[in-house]
Amino acid sequence: MISANATSISFEFFPPKTEQGHAKLAETRLALAALEPEYFSVTYGAGGSTRDNTKSVVLDGLNAGFNTAPHLSFGGDETDTIIALLQEYAAAGVNRLVALRGDLPSGFGGGARLVHANELVSFIRQHCGEQFHIAVAAYPEIHPEATSYDTDIGFLKKKFDAGASSAITQYFFNPDAYAYFIDQCQASGVEQPIYPGIMPITNFDNLLRFSKNCGAEIPRWLCYRAEALQHKPAELNAFYLEFVTQLCEKLIALGAPGIHFYTMNQAEPSIAICQNLGLQ
Ligand code: FAD
């Protein structure tokens, strides 16, 4: 599906655990499809823990006529399992992947290995040639395990050198972080598009928890404002919506090629932002 908008949009889902969740996701996807996204993507649980469930959501999306991109990491799988999965995806009509190192699920014992994303990109190119558009992850506020700003950008460059086609960022709330990051990537020779990942704000406590793990900075003033409005849900939601809309406006003004929404399987928050932006 080609987006009618100059700013391309895409929406990310996670695979639900229940049948009810799958049915609700089908409704969410239909509602978001009205915005003519370039594609939907479906996450891959840490350590490959959702391999079959991710595949089932991807195939459902393709069968419903929507361009759908699986996220993929080696997880705990053997190379043959990953090759078979790639072949299955290609046969089903997948033309885009999001390639990641991923993290280990909590409680995963010793012995497990994490394969860096640049190696996974090389592996996919080696086995599948140019069959897929491969997106990788990028971190304007720098990956929490990175040893320095420059090495992290160096590793992103390695993912592109291995054959990645584009990158999607971790979510962030400071547009200056993206602007500086893009400058530094370009100075390092990165020419491929880097799409900002945007997290609509719905549940602040969850956001604080996620952000601690993934290293996204929550502006201090935003925390204070959220606290002040905590007993006024309508005002609070309007404030979050305005805040994220303005973030997107600034990113588009900076030249962001599009926006990738972390939907958390909800349609309304992303739709409201897109409507505010005139992306409909
Ligand atoms: P890498 O690029 O391998 O980087 C990981 C760390 O190692 C960084 O600190 C980097 O500086 C360093 N590094 C990179 N390459 C090398 C190398 N060759 N040698 C040494 N060090 C290196 N997680 C999931 O489990 N499932 C998902 O579906 C998922 N989807 C995501 C989608 C997006 C858009 C983003 C931004 C993140 C997603 N994540 C997902 C989270 C991601 O898996 C974690 O952030 C993970 O910790 C890093 O993955 P990566 O692909 O960026 O790893």
Side-chain angles (χ1 to χ4, degrees):
M1 189 186 313
I2 303 293
S3 171
N5 302 306
T7 303
S8 93
I9 48 177
S10 50
F11 298 111
E12 181 173 310
F13 302 135
F14 61 84
K17 290 192 177 122
T18 61
E19 266 187 40
Q20 204 185 9
H22 280 271
K24 181 165 178 293
L25 182 58
E27 287 171 19
T28 298
R29 187 173 48 211
L30 211 54
L32 290 169
L35 297 170
E36 299 188 4
E38 202 174 342
Y39 65 96
F40 295 110
S41 82
V42 186
T43 62
Y44 201 65
S49 53
T50 65
R51 186 184 345 103
D52 294 339
N53 211 2
T54 296
K55 188 168 72 182
S56 126
V57 176
V58 169
L59 298 183
D60 281 354
L62 291 169
N63 289 337
F66 302 120
N67 192 359
T68 309
H71 293 210
L72 182 68
S73 61
F74 262 102
D77 283 323
E78 298 298 327
T79 54
D80 285 353
T81 309
I82 298 298
I83 290 173
L85 185 59
L86 288 167
Q87 286 169 343
E88 205 175 334
Y89 279 145
V94 168
N95 59 22
R96 177 185 284 268
L97 302 167
V98 182
L100 303 145
R101 181 200 71 173
D103 292 313
L104 291 176
S106 49
F108 217 68
R113 66 186 183 125
L114 288 170
V115 176
H116 283 296
N118 67 296
E119 293 173 47
L120 176 58
V121 173
S122 295
F123 179 86
I124 297 168
R125 288 288 178 233
Q126 185 194 337
H127 290 278
C128 307
E130 296 303 312
Q131 195 148 20
F132 301 108
H133 174 115
I134 306 178
V136 290
Y139 302 86
E141 294 181 325
I142 299 308
H143 187 265
E145 294 163 39
T147 49
S148 76
Y149 195 102
D150 289 341
T151 52
D152 208 33
I153 288 194
F155 287 130
L156 175 61
K157 175 80 169 62
K158 259 186 136 169
K159 300 193 231 190
F160 285 121
D161 291 345
S165 323
S166 66
I168 305 166
T169 74
Q170 183 56 275
Y171 70 85
F172 59 90
F173 296 110
N174 179 355
D176 290 343
Y178 177 79
Y180 186 74
F181 182 71
I182 295 296
D183 283 352
Q184 297 305 304
C185 288
Q186 286 173 350
S188 304
V190 170
E191 293 172 351
Q192 290 83 348
I194 300 178
Y195 294 82
I198 293 293
M199 179 74 88
I201 307 176
T202 50
N203 180 320
F204 206 69
D205 288 341
N206 281 348
L207 184 71
L208 289 176
R209 195 161 40 83
F210 287 147
S211 304
K212 209 171 167 194
N213 292 335
C214 72
E217 189 178 51
I218 312 277
R220 187 176 153 85
W221 69 271
L222 186 71
C223 296
Y224 276 101
R225 205 67 203 118
E227 195 180 1
L229 295 174
Q230 64 180 316
H231 300 303
K232 299 176 181 166
E235 276 182 56
L236 184 61
N237 284 335
F239 168 69
Y240 289 149
L241 173 59
E242 184 57 23
F243 172 75
V244 180
T245 299
Q246 285 188 17
L247 171 64
C248 294
E249 281 170 351
K250 288 172 192 164
L251 295 169
I252 291 168
L254 283 167
I259 294 175
H260 180 80
F261 287 94
Y262 295 107
T263 68
M264 306 307 285
N265 291 5
Q266 295 179 45
E268 291 75 17
S270 300
I271 290 175
I273 295 166
C274 289
Q275 282 174 343
N276 276 358
L277 293 169
L279 300 175
Q280 51 180 317

